[in-house]
Structures are given as C-alpha cells and as structure tokens.
C-alpha cells in the first residue's frame, strides 16, 4: 500500500506483522482443536461454519466497542482483536505497543488455551489407538 497507493504508514510494520502472526496462531489453534473434535471432514466443515464464521462476521469498519452506545452492544463478544491491531489509528497514525497490548494479550490467551486443549485431545486420541 505504501508504494503502490502512496499511503504513508506511520506505525510499526513489525508490530503489525507480530499482531497478524498472533492472530494466525489463535485461529490456527482453534482450527486444530476443532479438527480433534470432528470425526470426519464434513463434520469439520460444519464445526468451522458454526464457530469461526461468527467471529468473522464483524468487519473492520464497524465501530469499536468503546464507541458503542450503552445498551446497544450487540457484538460484545465479537473477536475483533485483529481488527483493533490493523485499525487505521494504529497502523497509519503511529500508535505503539502501549495501545495494542490488550489485543496481543487476548490473542496469546485464546491461542494458548485452544492449543493446549487440542494437544491434550490429540494425545488422548493417540493413546487410545495404541
């Protein structure tokens, strides 16, 4: 974007890449966990639809939770951590780690919980096969 569209990026590209890597870790851990729950590929597809699709139904241009009117927070449980990292205020205005650390922490927690759950289910499945 910076070269082709001549959009100045004031924020840290390294911080952005780290945030996207954490997002990939969290969603991949969720997918691996769902893979240990499903018994077949069609069942895995259905599980992905009912779990990951609602997480993606909140586009990046929706207002942040802190700007929602009181009593009108229908997306209070939405997974907008990657959107908070890529929000123009952070990437284009030069906000640092002090702004995005709660989202980083949430992505680490989500990814770690699902990774540990997937690992324990996988080990249990392997031990029952032997």
């Amino acid at each position: 974007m910076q070269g082709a569209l001549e959009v100045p990026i004031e924020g840290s590209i390294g911080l952005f890449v780290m945030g996207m890597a954490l997002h990939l870790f969290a969603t991949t851990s969720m997918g691996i966990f769902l893979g240990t729950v499903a018994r077949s590929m069609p069942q895995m597809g259905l599980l992905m639809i009912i779990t990951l699709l609602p997480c993606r139904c909140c586009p990046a241009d929706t207002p942040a939770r802190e700007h929602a009117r009181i009593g009108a927070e229908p997306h209070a449980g939405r997974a907008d951590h990657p959107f908070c990292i890529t929000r123009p205020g952070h990437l284009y205005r030069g906000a640092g780690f002090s702004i995005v650390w709660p989202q980083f922490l949430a992505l680490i927690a989500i990814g770690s919980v699902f990774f540990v759950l997937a690992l324990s289910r996988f080990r249990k499945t392997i031990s029952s096969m032997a």
Side-chain angles (χ1 to χ4, degrees):
M1 286 186 0
Q2 192 173 13
L5 300 177
E6 298 179 5
V7 176
I9 295 178
E10 301 291 329
S12 170
I13 295 176
L15 191 65
F16 173 74
V17 169
M18 186 169 57
M20 289 300 102
L22 287 174
H23 170 65
L24 287 173
F25 168 66
T27 54
T28 303
S29 296
M30 289 174 67
I32 292 170
F33 173 72
L34 291 175
T36 63
V37 172
R39 295 179 186 260
S40 65
M41 285 301 289
Q43 189 178 23
M44 173 69 180
L46 290 173
L47 283 172
M48 294 292 278
I49 288 171
I50 64 173
T51 56
L52 294 181
L53 188 62
C55 293
R56 299 289 130 231
C57 286
C58 303
D61 59 352
T62 57
R65 276 187 237 151
E66 58 267 13
H67 300 295
R69 284 180 265 143
I70 296 174
E73 298 99 357
H75 305 293
R78 69 185 192 190
D80 65 348
H81 307 294
F83 301 131
C84 291
I85 294 167
T86 60
R87 190 170 290 145
H90 300 298
L91 190 59
Y92 300 123
R93 293 187 190 148
F97 186 74
S98 62
I99 302 294
V100 295
W101 73 267
Q103 286 80 24
F104 278 25
L105 190 63
L107 287 171
I108 290 169
I110 291 167
S112 298
V113 166
F114 279 108
F115 186 76
V116 167
L117 288 172
L119 185 63
S120 65
R121 285 191 54 86
F122 184 72
R123 286 183 176 168
K124 189 167 116 176
T125 303
I126 292 297
S127 66
S128 68
M129 290 178 159

